[in-house]
Amino acid sequence: MSLLEQLNQDMKQAMKNKDKDSLSVIRMVKASLQNESIKLGKDHLSEDEELTILSRELKQRKDSLQEFKSAGRDDLVKKLEIEINILQEYMPQQLTEDELAAIVQSTIQEVNATSKKDMGKVMSAIMPKVKGKADGSKINQLVQKHLS
């Protein structure tokens, strides 16, 4: 089942359950997907493109969450946490810390990285492997740790 079909099905269920939070997040994701397909001039997005859009939406909310926490806006923090939880249901299973460490080490060996100067090479090689399955900042920290 494609992501759009899943979203449509979940949207109907959210309407029946009168779940306004889920409904608004699902509508927002559907709008993002449709806007991207229009922008790219395609009828259907690939799974990879859908994942990119989901990741972007999730990252925006996580960034906003940090801003609202530092500003002391607890009302908005709660709303964003609910949205993040709903979005994460559509994301692929996240990699564990050990799995990430193994991927980081193997990628460092693949590109023959030896110092922090090679950080860009490692990150550009690793990101396609873990797309949607791990947070970029977490990967960045692991790569820095292994290269130091």
Side-chain angles (χ1 to χ4, degrees):
M1 180 183 307
S2 77
L3 178 62
L4 204 51
E5 291 169 348
Q6 180 70 41
L7 288 169
N8 285 329
Q9 202 172 44
D10 291 349
M11 188 168 77
K12 289 176 190 173
Q13 193 60 45
M15 285 179 188
K16 288 179 185 174
N17 296 342
K18 296 183 173 43
D19 183 356
K20 291 181 181 179
D21 292 328
S22 294
L23 188 59
S24 70
V25 172
I26 292 168
R27 283 181 172 156
M28 173 272 314
V29 171
K30 280 186 63 175
S32 293
L33 290 169
Q34 289 169 338
N35 287 340
E36 190 72 17
S37 67
I38 290 168
K39 186 173 128 186
L40 297 174
K42 296 182 176 181
D43 288 337
H44 301 288
L45 296 173
S46 70
E47 204 172 301
D48 196 40
E49 291 166 331
E50 291 174 344
L51 187 59
T52 300
I53 294 165
L54 271 177
S55 298
R56 184 183 327 138
E57 293 293 335
L58 193 59
K59 183 179 182 332
Q60 286 174 351
R61 275 158 187 73
K62 285 182 178 180
D63 291 345
S64 297
L65 183 67
Q66 295 305 317
E67 295 292 322
F68 291 148
K69 278 183 180 179
S70 64
R73 295 292 310 266
D74 294 333
D75 55 328
L76 296 173
V77 167
K78 289 176 186 167
K79 182 179 183 283
L80 272 177
E81 286 174 342
I82 291 169
E83 288 182 12
I84 288 170
N85 288 336
I86 293 168
L87 275 172
Q88 285 178 331
E89 292 175 22
Y90 298 101
M91 294 295 288
Q93 182 69 35
Q94 298 294 297
L95 295 170
T96 65
E97 195 81 29
D98 294 335
E99 291 170 327
L100 270 178
I103 291 171
V104 166
Q105 286 177 332
S106 68
T107 306
I108 287 173
Q109 290 172 353
E110 280 175 30
V111 298
N112 296 323
T114 55
S115 68
K116 287 193 178 191
K117 291 178 187 175
D118 301 321
M119 183 87 174
K121 283 197 304 190
V122 175
M123 289 300 290
S124 62
I126 221 171
M127 289 312 286
K129 295 178 184 178
V130 297
K131 188 171 195 163
K133 297 178 186 172
D135 184 40
S137 61
K138 190 182 248 184
I139 295 166
N140 192 322
Q141 290 170 350
L142 280 172
V143 171
Q144 283 184 4
K145 182 177 142 189
H146 286 284
L147 286 179
S148 60

